[in-house]
Amino acid sequence: MKILVCISNVPDTTTKVKFKEGDSLFDDSGVQWIINPWDELALTRAMELKEDAGNSVNEICVIHVGGASADATLRKALAIGADKAVRIDACPADAYHVAGQIAEYLKENPFDIIFSGIESSDYNGSSVGAMIAEFMDYPGISSVTSVNLDDDDIQVNRAIPGGKQVIKTETPFVAVVQKGIANEPRIPSMRGIMMARKKPLEVKPAAELEVLTESIKFELPQEKGACKMIDSESTEQLVDLLKNEAKVL
Amino acid sequence: MSVIAFAKNWNGKFKNSTFELVSYTKALANQLNTNMVVLSIGEVAEEELKLLGNYGADKVLTVSDPQLNTLTSRAYADIVAKAADSVGAEVIVLSDNNSGKAIAPRVSVKLKAGLVAAVQELPVSLEPFVVKKRVFSGKAFGHVQIKSDKKILTIAKNCFGLVKNPCDITIEEFAVDIDTNLFKVKIVEEEEQKDKVILSDADVVVSAGRGMRSPENWAPVEELAEVLGAATACSRPVSDEGWRGHEEHVGQTGKVIAPNLYIAAGISGAIQHVAGISRSKCIVAINTDPEAPIFSVADYGIVGDVMDVLPRLTEAFRNSKS
């Protein structure tokens, strides 16, 4: 069984975002790039499934759509334990474009399970996984909090408001994963980093695909007014302010 | 031309977020000078469908097939796309929730319609069609142009509010062939908490962090939540430590919420936490450290030990009710 993990290369979650060229472009100077947090958890879960001798996962490949600047992030994914990395050499214009590129790769290189993070922490499109499923005409499961294989019988948990569903599916399928899919992301070991240098990182040319949406401008949120401090003995005053000033009760 | 909204139901009932979706879509239809159609999938009683008319819906298409009572994203997407085609919809609007996230991308591929997720307000311009959305997990907003003829939006919860607009409503069954091949995913078990307020729907949220010091200390948080009819939540370290379940984690990698009131007890307010709560209408912070970053995003703050302040606050809320 082969697992494909889609990787987005995003600014570190502590980045203070800035824009340039008349607020039309993200200013990436000095930005530290990381594997998108949900994708990192997906990769971790894929590794756990491969390490469990009870099932037949024999290959984990990570895939990314973007330029050469993402290669360091893909090497990190290899150091964590992926067997192979693929980068589609295209400017990731929008979710439709990215999902279409990955679908083109999948048509030539089939996988059994495709993991995609619920969103990327940069453009928060939350669409790529479900779009891949539709391009490929595969079943897709959203809001996935666990994937288990028992003799290759697949059981997936999906979060629903205030609860969960346990789902069985056939392969191939797309799992759009969120928090809970793995507990802690793995940190590459020294040995992993050494081995990653020898693992394949294939660069594929982009397919001709349409772009349906375009980011044209960014703005920063308005500064919040000062916090009104209340004495810890005066909780009645806070209740009064919430009722009569903020009017949120 | 028209605009279509997909009104999701939960066990045959709509939520306020559904009515917000209808309110938004009606305003969008007015802005585009066209009409709105609302689509409902699965069995919903006529009385419930009529509630959509309170928010400006004058025409509802319903596909009341019992095999559609639970979400199957492929089948739902197929129906949404067919209904959009049949009414000649230029814009399709869904809620930015679990089901919207599952369906909208599929419809986008089917119709080659540009999708923007978690839109914050009505389009900032119509020619070209530009909408505003949260990016960088709430650290900024992006203006995104949709270039395709057909367009799909999902709208962020609490971005628009409810707008009463009573209409005479006509309800029509939308006849559509349902491809049974699209039901390859089988739900074998379902668990739902019936007794707790659901975090993603809650108007008031009481959230606590490491300042509680131990998982045994959660009673004051739960008591305050009970008095307020609030949902409980927590910060990432708390869920990572296993003090509370992952489903309670709010923040960049957990749930992103937008309640009217968010009470943060013993949460320092790391940038990743703020990403999950910055759309709250009002934030109250309680922390021993007056320099904690949570106070820079809070509207009201109390410096003090949560174990002392929370019970007093609970008492104050209780007294204000009686």
Side-chain angles (χ1 to χ4, degrees), chain A residues 111-162:
Chain A
F111 282 79
D112 302 287
I113 303 177
I114 297 105
F115 278 136
S116 173
I118 189 160
E119 65 177 350
S120 63
S121 61
D122 49 5
Y123 296 99
N124 307 112
S126 56
S127 307
V128 167
M131 283 185 178
I132 294 170
E134 185 62 33
F135 273 117
M136 299 304 293
D137 205 14
Y138 287 171
I141 306 173
S142 54
S143 313
V144 169
T145 54
S146 88
V147 173
N148 286 299
L149 303 177
D150 182 10
D151 281 337
D152 295 340
D153 188 23
I154 298 160
Q155 188 179 303
V156 177
N157 287 2
R158 168 163 79 186
I160 56 171

Side-chain angles (χ1 to χ4, degrees), chain B residues 163-196:
Chain B
V163 182
K164 284 261 183 188
N165 186 357
C167 279
D168 286 331
I169 189 166
T170 57
I171 299 167
E172 268 174 40
E173 187 70 30
F174 178 60
V176 59
D177 287 329
I178 298 157
D179 180 356
T180 47
N181 279 324
L182 301 180
F183 293 86
K184 285 185 177 162
V185 166
K186 296 267 175 267
I187 298 167
V188 291
E189 204 183 308
E190 190 164 313
E191 282 171 30
E192 238 180 304
Q193 287 180 320
K194 303 272 183 208
D195 50 337
K196 274 189 99 178

